[in-house]
Amino acid sequence: MQILFVGDIFGSAGRKIFRDHLRHVVESHKADLVIANAENAAGGFGLTPAIAEELLDLGCDVLTTGNHVWDKREIMDYLSSANGNANSRARRVLRPANYAPTVPGVGLFEGVTKGGQSYAVINLQGRVFMQTNDDPFRKADELLSKVNSKVIVVDMHAEATSEKIAMGWYLDGRVTAVLGTHTHVPTADTRVLPKGTAYQTDVGMTGPYDSVIGVEKEQILHRFLTGLPGRFEAAKGDPRFCGVLIACDPATGHASSIQRLMLGE
Ligand SMILES: [Fe+2]
């Protein structure tokens, strides 16, 4: 089984490069399952229902998010619309599972691919240098105790490299992949851990690299040089598609390989 996981789709430039490459990447690698982090797909901040639907229409099976999930308020009603309706498309859009249980949405999706293979996707958020959440490690234990699928992909949306690597080791052999998102720069530590979990600290942004992690670089430099408030806008230049391809045995859920992808225009 082949899984494509695409890193943080950022703004319109990210959505365009994603559209440009998705079909041929899926076809050439025979991807059975497509997952993308979309928390910054709407202008670099948040995700609207229309953009979520657009990404699902393009071929994403599941969308994950993170700390920017509430930036566009309308996503709250969209996530709530999936309550009690397991087949709703909104159910395929996740927010981190270790948020307060009373907020809209959920952080676990279990589904079946077109080829009939069951899978699960878990979305977690780190706690180091981020806003307060419940413990992502114990939340992972809790969710794994109820998951039926062998193939399980975890998006660990976190700032600290150490926390992401720790999650990789914690879940090694228990999930198919632990993939980091949020920091927007792909890391070169792509590997399969000893017990069969594919791992990369950050998958990298699918968005404009002529930027500071997606935002117009002059605006970020102005902030660093003056400390003054100002608008942050999504950059456009040098868009790249970043993701990883994972091969796994659907009978065990163990990964046999993970490959890093970065495609430009
Ligand atoms: Fe983030």
Side-chain angles (χ1 to χ4, degrees), residues 8 39-40 66-68 130 157 181-184:
D8 309 50
E39 73 150 356
N40 293 312
N67 54 304
H68 284 287
M130 298 191 87
H157 194 80
T181 58
H182 177 69
T183 46
H184 293 192

Side-chain angles (χ1 to χ4, degrees), residues 58-116:
L58 284 171
C60 291
D61 295 290
V62 182
L63 300 175
T64 55
T65 61
N67 54 304
H68 284 287
V69 64
W70 311 130
D71 287 1
K72 300 283 186 280
R73 293 301 175 94
E74 54 269 44
I75 203 70
M76 293 189 184
D77 286 343
Y78 182 71
L79 294 185
S80 296
S81 74
N83 285 351
N85 181 3
N87 296 319
S88 112
R89 301 231 303 167
R91 185 63 190 76
R92 294 174 177 268
V93 181
L94 301 180
R95 49 90 172 152
N98 53 326
Y99 281 8
T102 49
V103 304
V106 293
L108 165 68
F109 179 78
E110 278 200 90
V112 179
T113 65
K114 289 180 198 78

Side-chain angles (χ1 to χ4, degrees), residues 13-254:
R15 299 202 309 277
K16 178 171 189 308
I17 197 85
F18 179 72
R19 272 197 307 274
D20 290 349
H21 285 302
L22 182 66
R23 182 183 294 248
H24 78 83
V25 170
V26 166
E27 285 176 1
S28 60
H29 296 278
K30 297 185 171 55
D32 303 291
L33 172 61
V34 178
I35 304 160
N37 184 296
E39 73 150 356
N40 293 312
F45 302 93
L47 174 64
T48 62
I51 289 174
E53 293 277 324
E54 174 193 322
L55 295 172
L56 293 169
D57 285 340
L58 284 171
C60 291
D61 295 290
V62 182
L63 300 175
T64 55
T65 61
N67 54 304
H68 284 287
V69 64
W70 311 130
D71 287 1
K72 300 283 186 280
R73 293 301 175 94
E74 54 269 44
I75 203 70
M76 293 189 184
D77 286 343
Y78 182 71
L79 294 185
S80 296
S81 74
N83 285 351
N85 181 3
N87 296 319
S88 112
R89 301 231 303 167
R91 185 63 190 76
R92 294 174 177 268
V93 181
L94 301 180
R95 49 90 172 152
N98 53 326
Y99 281 8
T102 49
V103 304
V106 293
L108 165 68
F109 179 78
E110 278 200 90
V112 179
T113 65
K114 289 180 198 78
Q117 181 56 53
S118 70
Y119 66 89
V121 180
I122 291 175
N123 195 177
L124 297 169
Q125 184 169 309
R127 294 187 296 181
V128 178
F129 309 130
M130 298 191 87
Q131 64 216 26
T132 310
N133 317 300
D134 292 345
D135 180 342
F137 295 88
R138 290 189 182 84
K139 179 55 75 172
D141 288 338
E142 178 197 320
L143 294 177
L144 290 175
S145 72
K146 1 182 187 179
V147 166
N148 295 309
S149 324
K150 293 283 188 202
V151 174
I152 305 167
V153 177
V154 176
D155 177 349
M156 176 62 175
H157 194 80
E159 182 72 34
T161 303
S162 57
E163 195 178 18
K164 297 190 206 184
I165 295 178
M167 186 62 82
W169 287 115
Y170 191 63
L171 298 181
D172 184 23
R174 298 201 279 158
V175 305
T176 307
V178 174
L179 303 167
T181 58
H182 177 69
T183 46
H184 293 192
V185 178
T187 55
D189 59 343
T190 320
R191 58 180 162 164
V192 178
L193 297 172
K195 294 177 184 165
T197 295
Y199 178 81
Q200 187 172 315
T201 296
D202 203 278
V203 174
M205 168 179 71
T206 291
Y209 277 70
D210 185 6
S211 71
V212 175
I213 62 170
V215 174
E216 285 291 355
K217 54 189 184 293
E218 292 75 15
Q219 296 169 351
I220 298 288
L221 278 168
H222 180 261
R223 173 70 62 89
F224 276 118
L225 290 169
T226 66
L228 293 170
R231 269 173 68 82
F232 283 175
E233 289 161 308
K236 298 273 190 279
D238 191 15
R240 301 190 204 177
F241 176 110
C242 273
V244 288
L245 277 159
I246 297 149
C248 73
D249 178 350
T252 62
H254 291 167

